[in-house]
Amino acid sequence: MRKQTEPASAADLGRRDLLRAGAAGAAVAAAGLPRAAAAQRGGGRIVFANGSAYDTMDPHATFDVGRVAYRLNCYDSLLRWLDNPPKLEPWLAESYTVSEDGKRYTFKLREGVKFHDGTELTAEDVVYSMERILAVKKGAYPLFATLVEPGSTRAVGRYAVEFNLKAASAIFAATTHDIYVVNSALVKRNERNGDWGQEWIARNDAGSGSYVIRRFDPARGFLATRFDDHFLGPAGVAEIDFRYVAEVNSRVLGLIRGDFHGTDPYMPQDQIARLQADPNLNVMEAESTRLFYACIHNQRAPMTDVNFRKALCYAFDYDGWINDILGKSVVRNTHVIPNPMWGAPKDVAGYTYDIDKAKWHLSQVQVPLREIVVAGMVGYEQSMQAAALLQAGLTKAGIQSRLLNEPWPVVSNKMRDPEQMYDVLFLWRSTYYADPHNWAGELLHTNRHRGGNASYYSNPEVDRLLDAALATADQEKRAPLYEQVARISSEEAAGIYIHNTKWFGPFRKNVRGVRFCPIGDGQEMRWLSIA
Amino acid sequence: MRRVARKLAEDRAAMLGLGLIVLLVLVAIFAPWLATHPGDVTEFHTARRLSPPGPENWLGTDRMGSDIYSRLLFGARITITIAVTAIAIAVVIGVPMGLVAGYYEGIGSDFLMRVSDIFLAVPQIVLAIAIAQTLGPSIENVILALSATYWPFWARLVFAETRSMKNEPFVEAAIALGCSPLRVMVLHILPSISSSIIVRTTIGMGGTILTAATLGFLGLGPPPPTPEWGRTIAESREFLPMAWWYAAFPGLAIFLVVMGFNLLGDGLRDVLDPRLRRASQHGR
C-alpha cells in the first residue's frame, strides 16, 4: 500500500467527530456539480458499519452487495445505475451506439477523466479492464464469459471503445455497470508473473472513483478520502470509513451511540424496529428488488426428482416467516423474478405451507431418500433462521435434514462447484442490473452453471426462452418470455422462492442525500453530506 | 469412606455444589415430564416468538417461538452426555498412561510424557476449536475434541503421583514380595492416588462443560435444532437487549452447573487430599 498520511486515527471517532463535521458546514450533493463549487464542499467523515468483511480491494474479484462499497466509491464504470427505480446513466461513457445486428457496442468516453494518480483515463484502460475481468475469472466474470471473447475488445482512438459480442445481448449495456475501469499503466507496473496485478491491487488503489483508498485492513475495513479531481466534481464528504463490524448488536449500538453514521440492514427485523424507534436515527425505506430464496441443488439426488423439490417447497412456513419473523415488512414473491420488475408474471400462485401436500409429493418420489443438508450463512441471521424454519417443516413432512451454517466466502466458493454445493441454501439474489435476466437468466440458464446458477437447474426450454429474450432489445417482446420462464421454474420447483426484500437504510439524522439504488444498496457515498 | 462423607457433609459449599449437580442429573433424566412444551425441541411457533417470561412460557420464548424453559431442560441432557463421556475418555486414556509412564523409567515413559507436554503446550480451547472445526459440528466431534485435549491433565497428574508413590515403603514391599508390575500399579498405587484423580475429575467436569458451551457458542457444537446451551446464547446475541431472557437463562444454567462442580471439587479436595489432610492434622 502506498504510504500516505492518515487523516485521523480510527479510534477517536464519536461525538467529537460529529461536532467537527457539523462545524464544517453542510454541503449540498448533486450529480454533475461544477468544479467551481468544490471550494464549498464540506469536510466530515462518514463511518459506515459493514456486516461483511472486505477481503480484497480488487474491483474485479467480488460481485456481491456485502462488499460493493469499494467498487462503487473508489472505481468508475462505463455506465452506472442510479436511483430507484434504477436508471442506467452515462458515467465514464457519455453515450454508446449499437450496431444493426446488436453485436457491436461502441462507447464514447468522457475526455479528461483522471485516475487518482493524475494520469488520464483512456480507451486503453477500458480494454485492459475488460481483458482483466476475462482473465481473472472472478467477480462479474460470469456476466461476460459467454459474451465477450478475450482480445475482441478494441480501443478506437483515445476516447472510444468497441465491444464485439459473440451474440446479440439485450443486457450487455446494463451490465457495463460492472466493468470497473482500472488504471492499466499502474496495474501493469505491479504485475507479478502475469497475475494481472492481482496480488498488488488486492491491497492498493488503481481507480478513478470519487474516493481514494488510503488504508485497508481485512480485519478492520477500508478508509478512503475524497478525490478532488473526480470528473463529476468532488464528493460531499471528505472521508469515508467502512468498518467491518460482524456483530449485529455492535452495529446497532454504535449507530445509536453515534459512532457510526450508517450500517447495512442485514439484521433481524426486531433490530430494525429498535433503530426505527430511536429519535436520532432515520431508517429509510424503499421498495427494492432483492429476492430471498432457497437454492435447491437440482442435479443431486433426491432433489433430481421434481416431487421431492415440490415437497421442499410445501414444507416452508411462508406465512410464519413473513408475518411473524419478519413482522410483515416484506411481501411474498412466488417465483424467481421480484414482483416490481417488469417480466414478473402476476399469475403464479406458487406454493403454500402445506405438510399434507409435502407428504403426498414425498410419497411420489422415485429415487431413494436420504438426509439432506440445509445451509444458511453465518452473520446473516435471516438465512440461518429460514434454514431452521425449513428444517422444522421437513421434520413434520418426514424428511431428514441437517443444518449447516457457514460464512459467505466459504458459501460463495461452494456455490461455484456442483460437487460442493449444498443440497439447499438460503440466500438473496440482489440486483446487479435492473433487468429480469438478472434473476431468471443468471439463476436458471444452463450457461450460468458454476457462475450464478448454483442450483445447476437445466431445462432446454428455459434456455431457449432466455436466449430468445436476449436476442431482442424490445421489452414488449422480452417480458412474456421471462414470465414464461418464471412460470416453468415455479412449476418445476427449481428453487423455493420466498419474498422480495424491502430496503431499510439506517442512518444518523444528520446524514443527508442518501441515494438508494437497488444496484449497490445505497452505498454510493458521493451524494452524501453531513449536516 | 464414611469419615469422608461426614466431613463433606459439614462443608456447606460442597453440599451446595452436590445439590446443583444432583439437580442437573434429575432434570436431565426427567426432562420430558418436567418440560411444559416437550415438543419445542424441534417445533416452532413463530406467532409466539420472543415472548417474555410469563405463565405460558416460564422463561420466555426464543427467536422461533420455542419454549426456552423446555429447551433448557433437554439441553441439560446434552451437557451431561458431552461432559461425562469426554471426561471418561480422558480418564481412560490419561490414567493408564500416567501410571505406566510413572512406574517405568526410560525412553518409553519419556516419550509418553513428551507427547502429553505437546498437547499441554497448546492452549486447550484453541486445540479443541481446531479439532472441532476440522471435523465438523456434531456431538461426537465435540466429545472427541474435548477428550483429545483433556487427557494430558490426568496423565500428568497420575505420572507425578506414581513417581512419588514408587519410593514409598509399601510399594517397595509389594515389589519385594514379587507382585507383578500390573498388580502393583492397579492394586497398590492406584488406590492411594485415586483421591487426586477424583478431585481432578470433579473440577475438570466444570471446565469441560464450559469449554463445550464455548464450542457451541462458536457454532462448533451439535447442530440446530439440538437445544445446546452455548448455541442458544450465541443465537440470542442478535436479539439483545430486547429479549434479555433469551441469553440470561441459558447463561444462568451454565453458571450454576459449572459452579456446582467447582464447589464440590473444592470440597472433595479439602477432604481427600492427603497433603491438606496431613496439614490440618498437624494443626496448621
Side-chain angles (χ1 to χ4, degrees), chain A residues 87 121 155 185 200 312 365 464:
Chain A
K87 284 184 290 293
L121 189 151
W200 179 82
L312 296 179
V365 174
R464 193 188 62 74

Side-chain angles (χ1 to χ4, degrees), chain B residues 101-248:
Chain B
Y103 188 80
Y104 297 104
E105 286 175 38
I107 294 178
S109 117
D110 282 350
F111 175 74
L112 288 178
M113 281 308 106
R114 290 303 83 76
V115 171
S116 76
D117 284 348
I118 291 170
F119 274 86
L120 286 173
V122 184
Q124 205 199 334
I125 182 76
V126 175
L127 196 57
I129 290 172
I131 295 175
Q133 176 73 56
T134 315
L135 298 176
S138 78
I139 288 199
E140 294 78 19
N141 292 342
V142 170
I143 291 172
L144 199 69
L146 291 177
S147 42
T149 51
Y150 267 100
W151 67 265
F153 291 97
W154 279 269
R156 269 274 147 207
L157 175 80
V158 173
F159 170 79
E161 295 271 343
T162 309
R163 271 282 153 93
S164 64
M165 283 289 165
K166 235 187 105 180
N167 300 322
E168 292 283 327
F170 75 94
V171 175
E172 285 177 349
I175 297 171
L177 283 170
C179 293
S180 70
L182 184 69
R183 192 182 166 88
V184 176
M185 278 190 274
V186 175
L187 289 185
H188 295 271
I189 298 180
L190 191 58
S192 21
I193 62 172
S194 60
S195 54
S196 314
I197 299 175
I198 291 172
V199 171
R200 186 73 192 84
T201 304
T202 316
I203 294 178
M205 282 292 237
T208 315
I209 289 170
L210 211 52
T211 315
T214 309
L215 292 179
F217 182 86
L218 294 173
L220 301 171
T226 342
E228 205 270 327
W229 293 349
R231 215 202 41 257
T232 309
I233 296 179
E235 281 171 9
S236 72
R237 285 173 307 163
E238 305 250 335
F239 303 96
L240 287 173
M242 293 87 81
W244 57 268
W245 56 89
Y246 198 166

Side-chain angles (χ1 to χ4, degrees), chain A residues 70-138:
Chain A
Y70 74 93
R71 304 199 300 271
L72 271 184
N73 291 302
C74 308
Y75 288 89
D76 290 319
S77 48
L78 289 177
L79 303 176
R80 184 157 286 194
W81 287 100
L82 289 175
D83 297 327
N84 189 32
K87 284 184 290 293
L88 193 57
E89 302 281 355
W91 201 255
L92 288 176
E94 283 174 334
S95 61
Y96 70 95
T97 54
V98 192
S99 66
E100 268 305 286
D101 61 359
K103 287 184 177 176
R104 192 169 70 240
Y105 280 72
T106 311
F107 287 83
K108 189 178 172 308
L109 299 181
R110 270 174 213 268
E111 295 181 20
V113 174
K114 292 270 197 302
F115 280 114
H116 295 153
D117 67 354
T119 50
E120 192 185 16
L121 189 151
T122 65
E124 281 305 329
D125 297 301
V126 180
V127 173
Y128 179 82
S129 300
M130 186 72 248
E131 297 303 331
R132 192 172 184 274
I133 291 171
L134 297 173
V136 169
K137 292 188 169 58
K138 289 179 183 167

Side-chain angles (χ1 to χ4, degrees), chain B residues 246-284:
Chain B
Y246 198 166
F249 293 115
L252 193 64
I254 295 173
F255 165 69
L256 288 177
V257 171
V258 174
M259 189 176 73
F261 278 110
N262 284 355
L263 288 178
L264 182 67
D266 277 354
L268 279 173
R269 192 185 53 205
D270 291 347
V271 179
L272 290 176
D273 193 308
R275 281 176 291 266
L276 283 176
R277 199 163 61 219
R278 224 171 293 135
S280 66
Q281 276 164 358
H282 287 294
R284 196 173 65 185

Side-chain angles (χ1 to χ4, degrees), chain A residues 193-255:
Chain A
N193 308 318
D195 73 343
W196 292 85
Q198 285 192 72
E199 193 187 326
W200 179 82
I201 205 174
R203 299 186 154 264
N204 290 279
D205 180 287
S208 62
S210 308
Y211 290 89
V212 188
I213 302 167
R214 296 294 182 193
R215 190 179 65 210
F216 167 59
D217 176 352
R220 290 172 67 187
F222 73 94
L223 183 135
T225 53
R226 181 166 55 206
F227 177 48
D228 288 330
D229 286 335
H230 191 263
F231 67 87
L232 285 178
V237 176
E239 225 173 87
I240 55 172
D241 187 353
F242 278 80
R243 305 278 185 84
Y244 167 45
V245 185
E247 288 285 321
V248 164
N249 249 296
S250 307
R251 300 211 296 279
V252 169
L253 283 173
L255 198 60

